[in-house]
Coordinates of all heavy atoms in Angstrom, one line a residue:
M1 N 1.4 12.6 3.6 CA 1.9 11.2 3.9 C 2.3 10.4 2.7 O 3.3 9.7 2.8 CB 0.5 10.5 4.4 CG 0.1 10.7 5.8 SD -1.3 9.9 6.4 CE -0.9 8.2 6.4
E2 N 1.7 10.6 1.6 CA 2.2 10.0 0.4 C 3.6 10.3 0.1 O 4.5 9.5 -0.3 CB 1.3 10.2 -1.0 CG 0.1 9.5 -0.8 CD -0.9 9.7 -1.9 OE1 -0.3 10.1 -3.1 OE2 -2.1 9.4 -2.0
N3 N 3.9 11.6 0.3 CA 5.3 12.1 -0.1 C 6.4 11.5 0.9 O 7.5 11.1 0.5 CB 5.3 13.6 0.0 CG 4.8 14.3 -1.1 OD1 4.5 13.7 -2.2 ND2 4.3 15.6 -1.0
L4 N 6.0 11.3 2.1 CA 6.9 10.7 3.1 C 7.1 9.2 2.7 O 8.3 8.7 2.7 CB 6.4 10.9 4.5 CG 6.3 12.2 5.1 CD1 5.6 12.1 6.4 CD2 7.8 12.6 5.4
V5 N 6.0 8.6 2.3 CA 6.1 7.2 2.0 C 7.1 7.0 0.6 O 8.0 6.2 0.6 CB 4.8 6.5 1.6 CG1 4.9 5.2 1.1 CG2 4.1 6.4 3.1
A6 N 6.9 7.9 -0.3 CA 7.6 7.9 -1.6 C 9.1 8.2 -1.3 O 9.9 7.5 -1.8 CB 7.1 9.0 -2.4
L7 N 9.4 9.0 -0.3 CA 10.8 9.4 -0.1 C 11.5 8.1 0.6 O 12.6 7.7 0.2 CB 10.9 10.6 0.8 CG 10.5 12.0 0.2 CD1 10.6 12.9 1.2 CD2 11.6 12.2 -0.9
K8 N 10.7 7.5 1.5 CA 11.4 6.2 2.1 C 11.5 5.1 1.0 O 12.6 4.5 1.0 CB 10.4 5.7 3.2 CG 11.1 4.4 3.8 CD 10.4 4.0 5.1 CE 10.8 2.8 5.7 NZ 12.0 2.2 5.3
L9 N 10.5 5.0 0.2 CA 10.7 3.9 -0.8 C 11.7 4.2 -1.8 O 12.5 3.2 -2.2 CB 9.3 3.6 -1.7 CG 8.1 3.2 -0.7 CD1 6.8 3.1 -1.5 CD2 8.5 1.7 -0.4
F10 N 11.9 5.4 -2.3 CA 12.9 5.8 -3.2 C 14.4 5.5 -2.4 O 15.1 5.0 -3.1 CB 12.7 7.3 -3.6 CG 11.8 7.7 -4.8 CD1 10.9 8.6 -4.5 CD2 11.7 6.7 -5.7 CE1 10.0 8.9 -5.5 CE2 10.6 6.9 -6.7 CZ 9.8 8.0 -6.5
R11 N 14.4 5.9 -1.2 CA 15.6 5.8 -0.4 C 16.0 4.2 -0.3 O 17.2 3.8 -0.7 CB 15.7 6.4 0.9 CG 17.1 6.3 1.5 CD 16.9 6.8 3.0 NE 16.3 5.8 3.7 CZ 15.5 6.0 4.7 NH1 15.1 7.3 5.1 NH2 14.8 5.2 5.4
D12 N 15.0 3.5 0.1 CA 15.2 2.0 0.3 C 15.5 1.3 -1.1 O 16.3 0.3 -1.1 CB 14.0 1.3 0.9 CG 13.7 1.8 2.3 OD1 14.6 2.4 2.9 OD2 12.7 1.5 2.9
N13 N 14.9 1.6 -2.0 CA 15.1 1.0 -3.5 C 16.1 1.7 -4.3 O 16.2 1.2 -5.5 CB 13.6 1.0 -4.2 CG 12.6 0.1 -3.7 OD1 13.0 -0.5 -2.5 ND2 11.4 -0.1 -4.2
Q14 N 16.6 2.7 -3.8 CA 17.7 3.3 -4.5 C 17.2 3.8 -5.9 O 17.8 3.7 -7.0 CB 19.0 2.4 -4.9 CG 19.6 2.1 -3.5 CD 20.9 1.3 -3.5 OE1 21.2 0.8 -4.6 NE2 21.4 1.1 -2.5
L15 N 16.0 4.4 -6.0 CA 15.3 5.0 -7.1 C 14.9 4.0 -8.1 O 14.8 4.4 -9.3 CB 16.1 6.2 -7.6 CG 16.5 7.4 -6.6 CD1 17.4 8.2 -7.3 CD2 15.2 8.0 -6.2
K16 N 14.8 2.8 -7.8 CA 14.4 1.7 -8.8 C 13.2 1.0 -8.4 O 12.9 0.7 -7.3 CB 15.6 0.8 -9.0 CG 16.9 1.4 -9.5 CD 18.0 0.3 -9.6 CE 19.3 1.0 -9.9 NZ 20.4 0.3 -9.6
G17 N 12.4 0.6 -9.6 CA 11.4 -0.4 -9.3 C 10.1 0.1 -8.5 O 9.5 -0.7 -7.9
L18 N 9.9 1.5 -8.6 CA 8.7 2.0 -7.9 C 7.8 2.7 -8.9 O 8.1 3.3 -9.7 CB 9.2 3.0 -7.0 CG 8.2 3.5 -5.9 CD1 7.9 2.3 -4.9 CD2 8.9 4.5 -4.9
Y19 N 6.6 2.1 -8.8 CA 5.5 2.7 -9.8 C 4.2 3.0 -9.2 O 3.9 2.6 -8.0 CB 5.3 1.6 -10.8 CG 6.5 1.0 -11.6 CD1 7.2 -0.2 -11.1 CD2 7.1 1.6 -12.6 CE1 8.3 -0.6 -11.6 CE2 8.2 1.2 -13.2 CZ 8.8 0.1 -12.6 OH 10.0 -0.4 -13.3
Y20 N 3.4 3.8 -10.0 CA 2.1 4.1 -9.7 C 1.3 3.3 -10.6 O 1.5 3.1 -11.8 CB 1.7 5.6 -10.0 CG 0.4 6.1 -9.9 CD1 -0.4 6.3 -8.8 CD2 -0.3 6.2 -11.2 CE1 -1.7 6.7 -9.0 CE2 -1.6 6.6 -11.3 CZ -2.3 6.8 -10.0 OH -3.6 7.3 -10.1
V21 N 0.1 2.7 -10.1 CA -0.8 1.7 -10.8 C -2.0 2.3 -11.0 O -2.7 2.7 -10.1 CB -0.8 0.3 -10.2 CG1 -1.6 -0.6 -11.0 CG2 0.7 -0.3 -10.0
K22 N -2.5 2.4 -12.2 CA -3.9 2.9 -12.5 C -4.6 1.9 -13.4 O -4.1 1.6 -14.5 CB -3.9 4.3 -13.1 CG -5.3 4.9 -13.4 CD -5.3 6.3 -13.5 CE -6.5 6.9 -13.7 NZ -7.6 6.6 -12.9
G23 N -5.9 1.4 -13.1 CA -6.6 0.6 -13.8 C -7.9 1.3 -14.3 O -7.9 2.6 -14.1
K24 N -8.6 0.6 -14.8 CA -9.9 1.2 -15.4 C -10.8 1.9 -14.2 O -11.4 3.0 -14.3 CB -10.8 0.2 -16.1 CG -12.1 0.8 -16.7 CD -12.9 -0.5 -17.3 CE -14.2 0.2 -17.9 NZ -15.0 -1.0 -18.5
D25 N -10.9 1.1 -13.1 CA -11.7 1.7 -11.9 C -10.9 1.5 -10.7 O -11.6 1.4 -9.7 CB -13.0 0.8 -11.9 CG -12.6 -0.6 -11.9 OD1 -11.7 -1.1 -12.1 OD2 -13.6 -1.4 -11.5
F26 N -9.6 1.6 -10.8 CA -8.9 1.6 -9.5 C -7.5 2.4 -9.6 O -7.1 2.3 -10.7 CB -8.5 0.2 -8.8 CG -7.7 -0.6 -9.7 CD1 -6.4 -0.6 -9.4 CD2 -8.2 -1.3 -10.7 CE1 -5.4 -1.4 -10.2 CE2 -7.3 -2.1 -11.6 CZ -6.0 -2.2 -11.2
E27 N -6.9 2.7 -8.6 CA -5.5 3.3 -8.6 C -4.7 2.9 -7.3 O -5.3 2.7 -6.2 CB -5.5 4.7 -8.8 CG -6.1 5.5 -7.7 CD -6.0 7.0 -8.1 OE1 -6.4 7.4 -9.2 OE2 -5.4 7.7 -7.2
I28 N -3.5 2.6 -7.5 CA -2.7 2.3 -6.3 C -1.6 3.2 -6.3 O -0.9 3.5 -7.3 CB -2.1 0.8 -6.5 CG1 -3.1 -0.3 -6.5 CG2 -1.1 0.5 -5.4 CD1 -3.9 -0.5 -5.3
D29 N -1.3 3.7 -5.1 CA -0.3 4.6 -4.8 C 1.2 4.2 -5.2 O 1.9 4.9 -5.8 CB -0.3 5.2 -3.3 CG -1.6 5.8 -3.0 OD1 -2.2 6.6 -4.0 OD2 -2.0 5.8 -1.9
F30 N 1.5 3.0 -4.7 CA 2.9 2.5 -5.1 C 2.9 1.0 -5.2 O 2.3 0.2 -4.4 CB 3.8 2.8 -3.8 CG 3.9 4.2 -3.4 CD1 3.3 4.8 -2.3 CD2 4.6 5.0 -4.1 CE1 3.3 6.0 -2.0 CE2 4.7 6.5 -3.8 CZ 4.0 6.9 -2.7
Y31 N 3.6 0.6 -6.4 CA 4.0 -0.7 -6.6 C 5.5 -0.9 -6.5 O 6.1 -0.2 -7.2 CB 3.4 -1.2 -8.0 CG 3.9 -2.6 -8.5 CD1 4.0 -3.6 -7.7 CD2 4.5 -2.7 -9.8 CE1 4.6 -4.8 -8.0 CE2 4.9 -3.9 -10.2 CZ 5.0 -4.9 -9.4 OH 5.4 -6.1 -9.8
D32 N 5.9 -1.5 -5.4 CA 7.2 -1.7 -5.2 C 7.6 -3.1 -5.8 O 7.5 -4.2 -5.3 CB 7.6 -1.8 -3.8 CG 9.0 -2.0 -3.3 OD1 9.7 -2.2 -4.2 OD2 9.2 -2.0 -2.1
E33 N 8.2 -2.9 -7.0 CA 8.5 -4.2 -7.9 C 9.6 -4.9 -7.2 O 9.6 -6.2 -7.3 CB 8.9 -3.8 -9.3 CG 9.1 -4.8 -10.2 CD 9.5 -4.5 -11.6 OE1 10.2 -3.4 -11.8 OE2 9.0 -5.0 -12.5
I34 N 10.6 -4.3 -6.7 CA 11.8 -5.0 -5.9 C 11.3 -5.9 -4.8 O 11.9 -7.0 -4.8 CB 12.8 -3.9 -5.6 CG1 13.4 -3.2 -6.8 CG2 14.0 -4.5 -4.7 CD1 14.3 -2.0 -6.5
N35 N 10.4 -5.5 -3.9 CA 10.1 -6.1 -2.9 C 8.7 -6.9 -3.2 O 8.1 -7.5 -2.2 CB 9.9 -5.3 -1.7 CG 11.2 -4.8 -1.3 OD1 12.2 -5.6 -1.1 ND2 11.5 -3.5 -1.3
S36 N 8.1 -6.8 -4.3 CA 6.9 -7.5 -4.6 C 5.6 -7.0 -3.7 O 5.2 -8.0 -3.1 CB 7.0 -8.9 -4.8 OG 5.7 -9.5 -5.2
R37 N 5.5 -5.9 -3.5 CA 4.4 -5.5 -2.7 C 3.6 -4.2 -3.4 O 4.1 -3.4 -4.0 CB 4.8 -5.1 -1.3 CG 5.8 -4.0 -1.2 CD 6.4 -3.8 0.0 NE 7.5 -2.7 0.1 CZ 8.1 -2.3 1.1 NH1 7.8 -2.9 2.4 NH2 9.0 -1.4 1.1
L38 N 2.3 -4.1 -2.8 CA 1.5 -3.0 -3.3 C 1.2 -2.1 -1.9 O 0.9 -2.7 -0.9 CB 0.3 -3.5 -3.8 CG 0.2 -4.1 -5.2 CD1 -1.1 -4.9 -5.4 CD2 0.6 -3.1 -6.2
L39 N 1.3 -0.8 -2.2 CA 1.1 0.0 -0.8 C 0.1 1.1 -1.3 O 0.2 1.7 -2.2 CB 2.6 0.7 -0.5 CG 3.5 -0.2 -0.1 CD1 4.6 -0.3 -1.3 CD2 4.2 0.2 1.1
Q40 N -0.9 1.2 -0.4 CA -1.9 2.2 -0.5 C -1.9 3.1 0.7 O -1.7 2.6 1.9 CB -3.3 1.4 -0.6 CG -4.5 2.5 -0.9 CD -4.5 2.7 -2.4 OE1 -3.4 2.9 -3.1 NE2 -5.6 2.8 -3.0
V41 N -1.8 4.4 0.6 CA -1.6 5.3 1.7 C -3.0 6.0 1.8 O -3.5 6.6 0.9 CB -0.6 6.3 1.3 CG1 -0.3 7.4 2.4 CG2 0.7 5.7 1.1
T42 N -3.4 6.1 3.0 CA -4.7 6.8 3.4 C -4.6 7.4 4.8 O -4.2 6.9 5.7 CB -5.9 5.8 3.3 OG1 -7.1 6.4 3.6 CG2 -5.8 4.6 4.4
Y43 N -5.2 8.5 4.9 CA -5.1 9.4 6.1 C -6.5 9.1 6.8 O -7.5 9.8 6.6 CB -5.0 10.8 5.7 CG -4.9 11.7 7.0 CD1 -3.8 11.8 7.6 CD2 -6.0 12.4 7.5 CE1 -3.6 12.6 8.8 CE2 -5.9 13.2 8.7 CZ -4.8 13.2 9.3 OH -4.7 14.0 10.4
T44 N -6.5 8.0 7.5 CA -7.6 7.6 8.2 C -7.3 7.2 9.7 O -6.1 6.8 9.9 CB -8.4 6.5 7.6 OG1 -9.6 6.4 8.1 CG2 -7.5 5.2 7.4
S45 N -8.1 7.5 10.6 CA -7.8 7.1 12.0 C -8.9 6.3 12.6 O -8.8 6.1 13.8 CB -7.5 8.3 12.8 OG -8.5 9.2 12.8
D46 N -10.0 5.8 11.8 CA -10.9 5.1 12.4 C -11.2 3.9 11.5 O -11.3 2.8 12.0 CB -12.2 6.0 12.7 CG -12.7 6.6 11.4 OD1 -12.0 6.6 10.5 OD2 -13.8 7.3 11.5
K47 N -11.5 4.0 10.3 CA -11.9 2.9 9.5 C -11.3 3.1 8.1 O -11.5 4.1 7.5 CB -13.5 2.7 9.6 CG -13.9 1.3 8.8 CD -15.3 1.2 8.8 CE -15.6 0.0 8.0 NZ -17.0 -0.1 7.6
I48 N -10.9 2.0 7.6 CA -10.3 2.0 6.2 C -11.5 2.0 5.2 O -12.5 1.1 5.3 CB -9.4 0.8 5.9 CG1 -8.3 0.8 6.8 CG2 -8.9 0.9 4.4 CD1 -7.4 1.9 6.9
E49 N -11.6 2.7 4.1 CA -12.5 2.8 3.2 C -12.5 1.4 2.3 O -11.3 1.1 2.0 CB -12.4 4.1 2.2 CG -12.7 5.3 3.1 CD -12.8 6.5 2.1 OE1 -13.1 6.3 1.0 OE2 -12.3 7.5 2.7
E50 N -13.7 1.0 2.0 CA -13.6 -0.2 1.3 C -13.1 -0.1 -0.2 O -12.4 -1.1 -0.6 CB -15.2 -0.7 1.0 CG -15.4 -2.0 0.6 CD -14.7 -3.1 1.4 OE1 -14.7 -3.1 2.6 OE2 -14.2 -4.1 0.7
R51 N -13.0 1.2 -0.8 CA -12.5 1.4 -2.1 C -10.9 1.1 -2.0 O -10.4 0.7 -3.1 CB -12.8 2.7 -2.7 CG -12.1 3.9 -2.0 CD -12.4 5.2 -2.7 NE -12.2 6.3 -1.7 CZ -11.0 6.8 -1.6 NH1 -10.0 6.5 -2.4 NH2 -10.7 7.9 -0.9
E52 N -10.3 1.4 -0.9 CA -9.0 1.3 -0.7 C -8.5 -0.3 -0.7 O -7.6 -0.7 -1.5 CB -8.4 1.7 0.7 CG -8.7 3.3 0.8 CD -7.8 4.2 0.2 OE1 -6.9 3.7 -0.7 OE2 -8.1 5.5 0.2
I53 N -9.3 -1.1 -0.1 CA -9.1 -2.4 -0.2 C -9.3 -3.1 -1.5 O -8.6 -3.9 -2.0 CB -10.0 -3.1 0.9 CG1 -9.7 -2.6 2.3 CG2 -9.9 -4.7 0.9 CD1 -8.4 -2.9 2.9
R54 N -10.5 -2.7 -2.1 CA -10.9 -3.2 -3.4 C -9.7 -2.9 -4.4 O -9.4 -3.8 -5.3 CB -12.2 -2.5 -4.0 CG -13.4 -3.5 -3.9 CD -14.5 -2.9 -4.6 NE -14.7 -1.5 -4.6 CZ -15.4 -0.7 -3.8 NH1 -16.0 -1.3 -2.7 NH2 -15.4 0.5 -4.0
S55 N -9.2 -1.6 -4.3 CA -8.1 -1.4 -5.3 C -6.9 -2.3 -5.2 O -6.4 -2.7 -6.1 CB -7.7 0.1 -5.0 OG -8.8 1.0 -5.4
L56 N -6.6 -2.5 -3.9 CA -5.5 -3.4 -3.6 C -5.8 -4.8 -4.2 O -4.7 -5.4 -4.7 CB -5.2 -3.5 -2.1 CG -4.3 -2.5 -1.5 CD1 -4.3 -2.7 0.0 CD2 -2.9 -2.4 -2.0
L57 N -6.9 -5.3 -3.9 CA -7.2 -6.6 -4.4 C -7.2 -6.7 -6.0 O -6.7 -7.7 -6.6 CB -8.5 -7.1 -3.9 CG -8.6 -7.3 -2.2 CD1 -9.9 -7.6 -1.9 CD2 -7.6 -8.4 -1.9
K58 N -7.7 -5.7 -6.6 CA -7.8 -5.7 -8.1 C -6.3 -5.6 -8.6 O -6.0 -6.3 -9.8 CB -8.6 -4.5 -8.7 CG -10.1 -4.7 -8.4 CD -10.8 -3.6 -9.0 CE -12.2 -3.8 -8.7 NZ -13.0 -2.6 -9.3
A59 N -5.5 -4.8 -8.1 CA -4.1 -4.7 -8.6 C -3.2 -5.9 -8.2 O -2.5 -6.3 -9.1 CB -3.4 -3.5 -8.0
E60 N -3.6 -6.6 -7.2 CA -2.9 -7.7 -6.8 C -3.3 -8.9 -7.8 O -2.5 -9.7 -8.3 CB -3.3 -8.2 -5.3 CG -2.3 -9.3 -4.8 CD -2.7 -10.6 -5.2 OE1 -3.8 -11.0 -5.6 OE2 -1.6 -11.5 -5.3
E61 N -4.5 -8.9 -8.3 CA -4.9 -9.8 -9.3 C -4.1 -9.7 -10.5 O -3.8 -10.7 -11.1 CB -6.4 -9.7 -9.4 CG -7.1 -10.8 -10.2 CD -8.6 -10.6 -10.4 OE1 -9.3 -10.6 -9.2 OE2 -9.0 -10.4 -11.5
M62 N -3.8 -8.5 -10.8 CA -3.1 -8.2 -12.0 C -1.6 -8.5 -12.0 O -1.0 -9.1 -12.9 CB -3.2 -6.7 -12.4 CG -4.2 -6.3 -13.4 SD -4.3 -4.6 -13.8 CE -2.6 -3.9 -13.4
L63 N -1.0 -8.1 -10.8 CA 0.4 -8.0 -10.7 C 0.9 -9.3 -9.8 O 2.2 -9.5 -9.8 CB 0.8 -6.8 -9.9 CG 0.6 -5.5 -10.8 CD1 0.7 -4.4 -9.9 CD2 1.4 -5.4 -12.0
R64 N 0.1 -10.0 -9.1 CA 0.5 -11.1 -8.3 C 1.7 -10.8 -7.3 O 2.8 -11.3 -7.5 CB 0.9 -12.2 -9.2 CG -0.2 -12.8 -10.0 CD -1.3 -13.4 -9.4 NE -2.4 -13.8 -10.2 CZ -3.5 -14.0 -9.9 NH1 -3.9 -13.8 -8.6 NH2 -4.5 -14.4 -10.8
T65 N 1.5 -9.8 -6.4 CA 2.4 -9.5 -5.5 C 2.5 -10.3 -4.1 O 1.4 -11.1 -4.0 CB 2.3 -8.0 -5.1 OG1 1.1 -7.9 -4.5 CG2 2.5 -7.2 -6.3
K66 N 3.5 -10.3 -3.5 CA 3.5 -11.1 -2.3 C 2.8 -10.4 -1.1 O 2.6 -11.1 -0.1 CB 5.1 -11.4 -1.9 CG 5.8 -12.2 -2.9 CD 7.2 -12.4 -2.5 CE 7.9 -13.3 -3.5 NZ 9.4 -13.3 -3.3
E67 N 2.9 -9.1 -1.1 CA 2.4 -8.3 0.1 C 1.5 -7.2 -0.3 O 1.7 -6.5 -1.3 CB 3.6 -7.8 0.8 CG 3.5 -7.4 2.3 CD 4.8 -7.1 2.9 OE1 5.8 -6.8 2.3 OE2 4.8 -7.2 4.1
L68 N 0.5 -7.0 0.5 CA -0.5 -6.0 0.3 C -0.4 -5.2 1.6 O -0.7 -5.8 2.7 CB -1.9 -6.5 0.1 CG -2.1 -7.3 -1.1 CD1 -3.5 -8.0 -1.1 CD2 -1.8 -6.8 -2.4
I69 N -0.3 -3.8 1.5 CA -0.1 -2.9 2.6 C -0.8 -1.7 2.5 O -0.9 -1.1 1.4 CB 1.3 -2.5 2.9 CG1 2.2 -3.8 3.0 CG2 1.6 -1.6 4.0 CD1 3.7 -3.5 3.0
V70 N -1.7 -1.3 3.5 CA -2.3 -0.1 3.6 C -1.6 0.7 4.7 O -1.5 0.3 5.9 CB -3.8 -0.1 4.0 CG1 -4.4 1.2 4.1 CG2 -4.4 -0.9 3.0
I71 N -1.0 1.9 4.4 CA -0.4 2.6 5.4 C -1.3 3.7 5.8 O -2.0 4.5 5.1 CB 1.0 3.4 4.7 CG1 1.9 2.3 4.3 CG2 1.6 4.3 5.7 CD1 3.0 2.8 3.5
T72 N -1.6 3.7 7.1 CA -2.6 4.6 7.7 C -2.0 5.6 8.7 O -0.8 5.6 8.9 CB -3.5 3.8 8.6 OG1 -2.9 3.3 9.7 CG2 -4.2 2.7 7.7
Y73 N -2.9 6.6 9.1 CA -2.3 7.5 10.1 C -2.0 6.8 11.5 O -0.8 7.1 12.0 CB -3.4 8.6 10.3 CG -2.8 9.8 11.2 CD1 -1.7 10.5 10.8 CD2 -3.3 9.8 12.5 CE1 -1.3 11.5 11.5 CE2 -2.7 10.9 13.3 CZ -1.7 11.7 12.8 OH -1.2 12.6 13.6
D74 N -2.8 6.0 12.1 CA -2.5 5.2 13.2 C -3.1 4.0 13.6 O -3.1 3.5 14.6 CB -3.0 6.3 14.4 CG -4.3 6.6 14.5 OD1 -5.2 6.2 13.6 OD2 -4.8 7.3 15.4
I75 N -3.7 3.4 12.5 CA -4.4 2.1 12.6 C -3.3 1.0 12.2 O -2.6 1.0 11.5 CB -5.5 1.8 11.6 CG1 -6.5 2.9 11.9 CG2 -6.1 0.5 11.8 CD1 -7.7 2.8 10.8
E76 N -3.3 0.1 13.3 CA -2.3 -1.1 13.0 C -3.2 -2.3 13.2 O -3.6 -2.6 14.3 CB -1.2 -1.1 14.0 CG -0.2 -2.2 13.8 CD 1.0 -2.1 14.7 OE1 1.0 -1.2 15.7 OE2 1.9 -2.9 14.5
S77 N -3.3 -3.3 12.3 CA -4.0 -4.5 12.4 C -3.6 -5.2 11.0 O -2.8 -4.9 10.2 CB -5.4 -4.3 12.6 OG -6.1 -3.8 11.4
E78 N -4.4 -6.3 10.9 CA -4.3 -7.2 9.7 C -5.7 -7.8 9.3 O -6.4 -8.1 10.2 CB -3.4 -8.4 10.0 CG -2.9 -9.1 8.8 CD -1.8 -10.1 8.9 OE1 -0.7 -9.6 9.1 OE2 -2.2 -11.2 9.0
E79 N -6.1 -7.5 8.1 CA -7.4 -8.0 7.6 C -7.1 -9.1 6.6 O -6.1 -9.2 5.9 CB -8.1 -6.8 7.0 CG -8.5 -5.9 7.9 CD -9.5 -4.9 7.4 OE1 -10.0 -5.1 6.1 OE2 -9.7 -3.7 7.9
E80 N -8.2 -10.0 6.4 CA -8.0 -10.9 5.4 C -9.3 -10.7 4.5 O -10.4 -10.8 4.9 CB -8.0 -12.3 5.8 CG -7.8 -13.3 4.8 CD -7.3 -14.8 5.4 OE1 -6.7 -14.7 6.4 OE2 -7.8 -15.7 4.9
R81 N -9.1 -10.6 3.2 CA -10.2 -10.4 2.3 C -9.9 -11.3 1.0 O -8.7 -11.4 0.5 CB -10.2 -9.1 1.7 CG -10.5 -8.0 2.8 CD -12.0 -7.9 3.2 NE -12.3 -6.9 4.1 CZ -12.6 -5.7 4.1 NH1 -12.6 -5.2 2.7 NH2 -12.7 -4.9 4.9
E82 N -10.9 -12.1 0.6 CA -10.9 -13.0 -0.6 C -9.6 -13.8 -0.4 O -8.8 -14.1 -1.5 CB -10.8 -12.2 -1.8 CG -12.0 -11.3 -2.0 CD -12.0 -10.6 -3.4 OE1 -11.1 -10.8 -4.2 OE2 -12.8 -9.6 -3.4
G83 N -9.2 -14.3 0.8 CA -8.0 -15.2 1.0 C -6.7 -14.5 1.0 O -5.6 -15.1 0.9
K84 N -6.7 -13.1 0.9 CA -5.5 -12.4 1.0 C -5.3 -11.7 2.3 O -6.3 -11.0 2.7 CB -5.4 -11.3 -0.3 CG -5.8 -11.9 -1.6 CD -4.7 -12.6 -2.2 CE -5.1 -12.9 -3.6 NZ -4.5 -14.1 -4.2
K85 N -4.0 -11.5 2.7 CA -3.9 -10.9 3.9 C -3.4 -9.4 3.6 O -2.5 -9.3 2.8 CB -2.6 -11.5 4.7 CG -3.0 -12.7 5.3 CD -2.1 -13.3 6.2 CE -2.5 -14.5 6.9 NZ -1.4 -15.2 7.8
I86 N -3.9 -8.4 4.2 CA -3.7 -7.1 4.0 C -3.2 -6.5 5.4 O -4.0 -6.5 6.4 CB -4.9 -6.2 3.5 CG1 -5.5 -6.9 2.2 CG2 -4.6 -4.8 3.4 CD1 -6.8 -6.4 1.8
K87 N -2.0 -6.0 5.4 CA -1.4 -5.4 6.6 C -1.8 -3.9 6.7 O -1.6 -3.2 5.7 CB 0.2 -5.5 6.5 CG 0.5 -6.8 6.7 CD 2.2 -6.8 6.6 CE 2.7 -8.3 6.7 NZ 4.2 -8.2 6.5
L88 N -2.3 -3.6 7.8 CA -2.5 -2.1 8.2 C -1.5 -1.5 9.0 O -1.3 -2.0 10.1 CB -3.9 -1.8 8.7 CG -5.1 -2.5 8.0 CD1 -6.4 -2.3 8.8 CD2 -5.2 -1.8 6.6
I89 N -0.7 -0.6 8.5 CA 0.6 -0.3 9.1 C 0.5 1.3 9.5 O 0.2 2.1 8.6 CB 1.8 -0.5 8.4 CG1 1.9 -2.0 8.2 CG2 3.1 -0.1 9.2 CD1 3.1 -2.5 7.3
P90 N 0.7 1.8 10.7 CA 0.7 3.2 10.9 C 1.9 3.9 10.2 O 3.0 3.2 10.1 CB 0.8 3.3 12.5 CG 0.6 2.0 13.0 CD 0.8 1.1 11.9
L91 N 1.8 5.1 9.8 CA 2.9 5.7 9.1 C 4.2 5.7 9.9 O 5.3 5.4 9.3 CB 2.4 7.2 8.8 CG 3.4 8.0 8.1 CD1 3.8 7.5 6.7 CD2 3.1 9.5 8.0
Y92 N 4.2 6.1 11.1 CA 5.5 6.2 11.9 C 6.1 4.9 11.9 O 7.4 4.8 11.8 CB 5.2 6.7 13.3 CG 4.7 5.7 14.2 CD1 5.5 5.0 15.0 CD2 3.2 5.5 14.3 CE1 4.9 4.1 15.9 CE2 2.7 4.7 15.2 CZ 3.5 3.9 16.1 OH 3.0 2.9 16.9
K93 N 5.4 3.6 12.0 CA 6.1 2.4 12.0 C 6.6 2.0 10.6 O 7.8 1.5 10.5 CB 5.1 1.3 12.4 CG 5.0 1.2 13.9 CD 4.4 0.0 14.4 CE 4.3 -0.2 15.8 NZ 3.8 -1.4 16.3
F94 N 5.9 2.4 9.6 CA 6.6 2.0 8.3 C 7.7 3.0 8.0 O 8.6 2.4 7.5 CB 5.4 2.6 7.3 CG 6.0 2.4 5.8 CD1 5.9 1.1 5.3 CD2 6.4 3.4 5.1 CE1 6.4 0.8 4.0 CE2 6.8 3.3 3.8 CZ 6.9 1.9 3.1
L95 N 7.8 4.3 8.5 CA 8.9 4.9 8.2 C 10.1 4.6 9.0 O 11.2 4.8 8.7 CB 8.6 6.5 8.6 CG 7.6 7.3 7.7 CD1 7.3 8.6 8.2 CD2 8.1 7.3 6.3
L96 N 9.8 4.0 10.1 CA 11.0 3.4 10.9 C 11.5 1.9 10.5 O 12.5 1.7 11.1 CB 10.5 3.4 12.4 CG 10.2 4.9 13.1 CD1 9.7 4.6 14.6 CD2 11.6 5.6 13.2
S97 N 10.7 1.5 9.8 CA 11.1 0.1 9.5 C 12.3 0.0 8.4 O 12.6 1.0 7.7 CB 9.9 -0.8 8.8 OG 9.5 -0.2 7.6

């Protein structure tokens, strides 16, 4: 799943502004600097693990992005944590966007 997301991001951004973020106690799969968003990829089909959300919030605190996204296998919804909106997007919809 991460490879598919990476290929789409590389294509959309023309190989620019895409990073992996690692902090002391968290990591984020993709920081899309061009579109100011953090993307976390997880293969889950029932419930998002709390560590995925925590990682997004910690990285957002550092980078101040506009959008927080968790790409899932098939979950689609939106959550709000600590005043931040987090979009949960199924992989197929992300790839088609």
